[in-house]
């Protein structure tokens, strides 16, 4: 672990100008071009290809492969992620991963490069323009061993300009659409991929659900997940950063998870890291329990509720008891697992798991009633309790 270093404050003019030009061309150039010339199928295909290739290289590549090493893959895929990742103009992966690891380790403090406590805009993109942090590569020694990563870092501008500007414009020029390629596949695409990525650090640290950890700013936001190939389940991600999934439930929209799982299926990815479903469930229930406790504490302080609290507390105790029962079963399950894992006793393991699930659903049935109650607006809840006391 590195000691926190004093922040360096400077304005990165290159980034300010780059953001200004790409945004201007995207906002003014794109509609003007469509108005004057329309859009061909080729222009749209090139734009969509670069949107997906560069976006996925940041999310499944820069983030889940390089920054968190949640899985392993072959050098060809690593190269493709480095190549199209550079095209997103979000710094070399070495710097990106180093800052991102700092973000997880020091989240919401001064050592967090995109600390949300410095405001929405700072966490969104201000941190790239009004630089107030230090990039220290001591937390990316594993990545420094990869010659391809080091080459991308050393000759970053060549990689980024080659893959992000020259390649799309050249492809466009072959079809006689160089200008359209520059406006759509370069500038508009960059602007959209930028803000989608930045939303994770701004919106997902301010708005959404705290499903797994109520004491941190990271939130699960389904709409941002939709814009970022699944990265919006950010509360889960901060609770389990080494899991290759961000949208952990099967129905949650997480194309990165599906891509990695598919690569694994055809032998192109291996060593996929998953948090155990029991740890995930434990965390979820602990979060609900904390939420309930905190709400109860705030209500206890309300003098108008002196008479109503007994109703509230009886209900609370019921929920708490079933949580405790569930925790006991979880412990028992862990004991059985530990004992039989070496014997690989499938019957015992599946019996323990079934037991675990039935206790859990019992808890959830009780919990759901409680959840409906506690999810109410605190003022409505107070009124509800007052009506009970009347
Ligand atoms: Zn975060
Ligand atoms: Zn992360």
């Amino acid at each position: 672990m590195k000691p926190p270093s004093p922040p360096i404050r400077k304005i990165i003019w290159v980034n300010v100008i780059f953001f200004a030009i790409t945004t201007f061309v995207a906002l003014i150039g794109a509609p003007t071009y469509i108005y004057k010339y329309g859009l061909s199928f080729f222009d749209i295909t090139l734009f969509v290809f670069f949107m997906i290739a560069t976006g996925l290289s940041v999310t499944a590549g820069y983030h889940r492969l390089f920054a968190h090493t949640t899985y392993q893959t072959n050098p060809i895929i690593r190269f493709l992620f480095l190549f199209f990742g550079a095209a997103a103009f979000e710094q070399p992966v070495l710097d990106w991963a180093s800052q991102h690891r700092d973000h997880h380790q020091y989240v919401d403090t001064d050592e967090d490069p995109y600390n949300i406590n410095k405001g929405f805009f700072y966490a969104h993109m201000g941190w790239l323009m009004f630089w107030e942090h230090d990039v220290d590569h001591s937390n990316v020694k594993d990545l420094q061993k990869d010659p391809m990563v080091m080459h991308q870092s050393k000759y970053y501008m060549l990689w980024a300009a080659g893959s992000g500007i020259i390649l799309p414009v050249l492809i466009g020029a072959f079809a006689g659409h160089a200008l359209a390629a520059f406006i759509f596949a370069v500038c508009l695409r960059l602007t959209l991929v930028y803000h989608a990525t930045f939303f994770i650090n701004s919106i997902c640290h301010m708005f959404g659900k705290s499903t797994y950890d109520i004491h941190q700013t990271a939130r699960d936001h389904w709409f941002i997940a939709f814009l970022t190939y699944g990265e919006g389940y950010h509360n889960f991600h901060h609770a389990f950063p080494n899991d290759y999934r961000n949208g952990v439930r099967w129905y949650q929209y997480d194309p990165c998870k599906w891509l990695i799982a598919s690569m694994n299926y055809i032998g192109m990815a291996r060593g996929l890291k998953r948090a155990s479903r029991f740890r995930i469930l434990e965390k979820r229930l602990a979060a609900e329990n904390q939420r309930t406790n905190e709400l109860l504490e705030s209500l206890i302080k309300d003098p108008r509720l002196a008479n109503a609290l007994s109703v509230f507390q009886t209900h609370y105790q019921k929920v708490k008891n079933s949580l405790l029962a569930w925790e006991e079963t979880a412990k028992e399950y862990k004991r059985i697992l530990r004992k039989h894992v070496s014997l690989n006793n499938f019957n015992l393991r599946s019996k323990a798991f079934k037991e675990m699930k039935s206790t859990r659903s019992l808890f959830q049935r009780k919990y759901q009633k409680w959840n409906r109650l506690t999810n109410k607006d605190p003022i409505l809840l107070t009124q509800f309790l007052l009506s009970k006391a009347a």
Side-chain angles (χ1 to χ4, degrees), residues 144-214:
Q144 284 175 320
K145 288 180 197 146
D146 183 336
M148 246 178 342
V149 167
M150 293 314 287
H151 192 279
Q152 196 228 32
S153 180
K154 200 169 169 192
Y155 302 103
Y156 173 66
M157 279 321 290
L158 278 179
W159 281 68
S163 60
I165 300 173
I166 297 167
L167 179 69
V169 171
L170 269 183
I171 298 173
F174 275 119
H177 291 220
L179 181 64
F182 178 72
I183 293 174
F184 296 97
V186 178
C187 294
L188 180 64
R189 180 262 308 173
L190 270 172
T191 309
L192 295 177
V193 173
Y194 271 146
H195 292 289
T197 317
F198 299 160
F199 280 152
I200 304 293
N201 301 329
S202 55
I203 293 186
C204 284
H205 274 271
M206 251 186 198
F207 308 104
K209 287 185 187 161
S210 311
T211 324
Y212 300 91
D213 188 344
I214 65 164

Side-chain angles (χ1 to χ4, degrees), residues 59 63-64 68 70 100 104 200 212 220 225 228-238 240-249 252-254 256-257 260:
T59 57
H63 186 216
R64 299 194 202 184
H68 292 293
T70 63
H100 191 72
H104 277 269
I200 304 293
Y212 300 91
D220 288 341
T228 54
Y229 310 105
E231 302 271 279
Y233 297 105
H234 206 53
N235 188 259
F236 176 83
H237 176 59
H238 270 264
F240 300 100
N242 296 324
D243 197 309
Y244 79 93
R245 305 159 299 181
N246 280 13
V248 70
R249 318 297 297 272
Q252 284 175 332
Y253 180 82
D254 186 354
C256 284
K257 159 182 89 176
I260 297 164

Side-chain angles (χ1 to χ4, degrees), residues 5 64 84 132 141 143 308:
S5 44
R64 299 194 202 184
F84 287 107
E132 287 184 15
K141 291 216 164 76
L143 298 179

Side-chain angles (χ1 to χ4, degrees), residues 16-31:
V16 176
I17 293 163
F18 195 78
F19 285 142
I21 292 173
T22 48
T23 309
F24 180 80
V25 176
L27 288 179
I28 308 294

Side-chain angles (χ1 to χ4, degrees), residues 93-122:
V93 75
L94 200 65
D95 294 352
W96 198 104
S98 169
Q99 291 163 99
H100 191 72
R101 287 178 188 182
D102 276 351
H103 169 63
H104 277 269
Q105 192 178 350
Y106 304 111
V107 66
D108 304 338
T109 68
D110 274 348
E111 276 69 57
D112 173 359
Y114 15 98
N115 178 8
I116 191 69
N117 296 321
K118 289 184 178 167
F120 183 91
F121 182 76
Y122 186 86

Side-chain angles (χ1 to χ4, degrees), residues 291-302 305-320 369-378 380-386 388-389:
R291 215 194 314 275
T292 318
N293 274 325
E294 282 186 8
L295 186 75
L296 186 66
E297 270 168 35
S298 71
L299 289 173
I300 279 173
K301 286 174 194 148
D302 190 333
L305 292 176
N307 295 326
L309 275 173
S310 59
V311 181
F312 196 64
Q313 269 169 331
T314 318
H315 196 86
Y316 171 77
Q317 203 51 48
K318 274 188 200 161
V319 178
K320 192 139 190 171
K369 267 196 248 162
W370 175 256
N371 203 21
R372 274 197 292 273
L373 193 68
T374 53
N375 272 348
K376 280 183 184 165
D377 186 279
L380 284 178
L381 188 60
T382 310
Q383 283 168 355
F384 167 81
L385 289 169
L386 279 169
K388 284 267 170 193

